[in-house]
Amino acid sequence: MSTLLMVSSLLLVIGIYGLLTRNNPILMIISIELIFNGANLNLVHFSRLYNSMDGISLALFSIAIAAIEVALGLGIFLALYKLERKTELRKFRRLSDEEVSA
Amino acid sequence: MKDILLSLFSSIVLLSAIFSLEEKKLLYSVALFSAFLTLFSVYYFYLGVEFLGVVQLLVYAGGVTVLMLFSLMLAPEVDEKLSIDRRRGLLSLLVLPPIMYWATRLGSRSNFPLLDTKDISRNISDHYVLVLLISLLIVSVIISISSILGGEKEK
């Protein structure tokens, strides 16, 4: 049983590592999805461990929200790509005070 | 024997997750991520939650991967020069594993209350009606905003 806990924590660590190191929006979304999956595994595992359905229900909501989040994130990325023709997210600073350093 | 097989399987799942982030080509990265999601649904079947396993296969391995492939197709320059900033990741690799290990140990020691609810839908309708309504509201707001923005663009 502890293997699953280990997998979920390692997935969280891998996801945060990817989120911090990569600039590409698709890879950042993949990292976020890894974090979501780790959290879902933890929820379902503890739900089965304590014979409760709460974790499974929350995991279901989490999967739906993750799918919406991916669709929105990719939509925003494609809209920004159409405007600026840039793919590295850290270069998008239209709302900040700094000048764009492309 | 069962534990050894589970550990071997988990190592394959984790390797596919790592390589999906470390791969240079984005197309291979998305393909490895799809493999990871498909393999990950086996955990749900192993834990006896077949419904979640099927949802994982349909929503993640099906829908999300296709969305990513479409965005790769629509933005062809996205595949160029994948830069990695490894200094940022060093912090997460050094600090996060001990914190997560401690958190999971703490979580496994605590006593959660036992519930008798057996059905997912009954559980949602009993305890999570408000969450369900809020999520439906958020989805409807998102759809209406996108339709309004699309209408303005056409004008």
Side-chain angles (χ1 to χ4, degrees):
Chain A
M1 280 297 203
S2 63
T3 311
L4 297 182
L5 289 181
M6 218 47 151
V7 169
S8 65
S9 7
L10 281 173
L11 278 179
L12 188 77
V13 171
I14 292 168
I16 293 175
Y17 169 78
L19 207 58
L20 290 174
T21 52
R22 309 310 293 255
N23 268 337
N24 192 280
I26 292 179
L27 289 176
M28 288 174 100
I29 287 175
I30 286 179
S31 308
I32 294 170
E33 293 307 308
L34 291 179
I35 295 172
F36 263 111
N37 276 301
N40 285 345
L41 186 62
N42 229 346
L43 280 173
V44 175
H45 176 250
F46 276 111
S47 178
R48 295 302 288 172
L49 200 63
Y50 292 102
N51 201 20
S52 152
M53 292 298 283
D54 285 4
I56 297 169
S57 310
L58 281 177
L60 202 60
F61 279 117
S62 166
I63 288 176
I65 289 168
I68 293 171
E69 168 247 316
V70 169
L72 267 180
L74 289 176
I76 291 170
F77 158 64
L78 284 177
L80 284 174
Y81 176 76
K82 260 176 79 179
L83 278 176
E84 302 230 358
R85 297 277 156 188
K86 277 186 279 188
T87 55
E88 299 212 338
L89 277 190
R90 293 198 173 89
K91 286 183 181 169
F92 287 109
R93 301 208 178 271
R94 288 170 72 88
L95 293 180
S96 73
D97 289 336
E98 298 170 26
E99 286 293 314
V100 179
S101 56
Chain B
M1 186 66 186
K2 204 173 170 183
D3 289 340
I4 295 171
L5 280 176
L6 187 65
S7 305
L8 277 175
F9 180 75
S10 302
S11 60
I12 294 171
V13 170
L14 288 172
L15 279 177
S16 63
I18 292 169
F19 282 119
S20 69
L21 287 178
E22 288 294 318
E23 186 60 49
K24 289 272 166 58
K25 280 233 160 219
L26 260 184
L27 186 65
Y28 297 155
S29 193
V30 174
L32 277 166
F33 182 59
S34 172
F36 161 77
L37 291 173
T38 312
L39 289 173
F40 194 82
S41 69
V42 174
Y43 282 126
Y44 293 138
F45 290 112
Y46 171 74
L47 287 168
V49 197
E50 288 88 1
F51 180 69
L52 264 188
V54 172
V55 168
Q56 168 91 7
L57 281 176
L58 287 175
V59 175
Y60 269 122
V64 168
T65 314
V66 169
L67 264 178
M68 284 178 179
L69 287 175
F70 263 97
S71 57
L72 265 182
M73 192 181 73
L74 291 170
E77 286 172 30
V78 80
D79 217 3
E80 289 177 0
K81 287 181 191 171
L82 293 180
S83 60
I84 303 176
D85 188 0
R86 292 192 189 278
R87 278 173 301 174
R88 283 169 180 265
L90 200 64
L91 176 76
S92 63
L93 285 180
L94 286 178
V95 176
L96 284 175
I99 293 174
M100 288 318 299
Y101 180 72
W102 174 77
T104 46
R105 283 286 298 273
L106 197 72
S108 60
R109 269 188 216 152
S110 60
N111 285 319
F112 293 117
L114 290 173
L115 290 177
D116 294 320
T117 324
K118 296 291 180 190
D119 194 9
I120 291 177
S121 59
R122 210 171 89 195
N123 195 41
I124 288 173
S125 60
D126 284 353
H127 301 287
Y128 296 109
V129 181
L130 194 64
V131 182
L132 188 68
L133 288 176
I134 289 171
S135 59
L136 283 175
L137 189 71
I138 290 170
V139 170
S140 62
V141 166
I142 289 169
I143 291 169
S144 56
I145 286 173
S146 62
S147 66
I148 289 167
L149 286 178
E152 280 181 2
K153 204 177 169 185
E154 280 171 12
K155 283 173 192 174

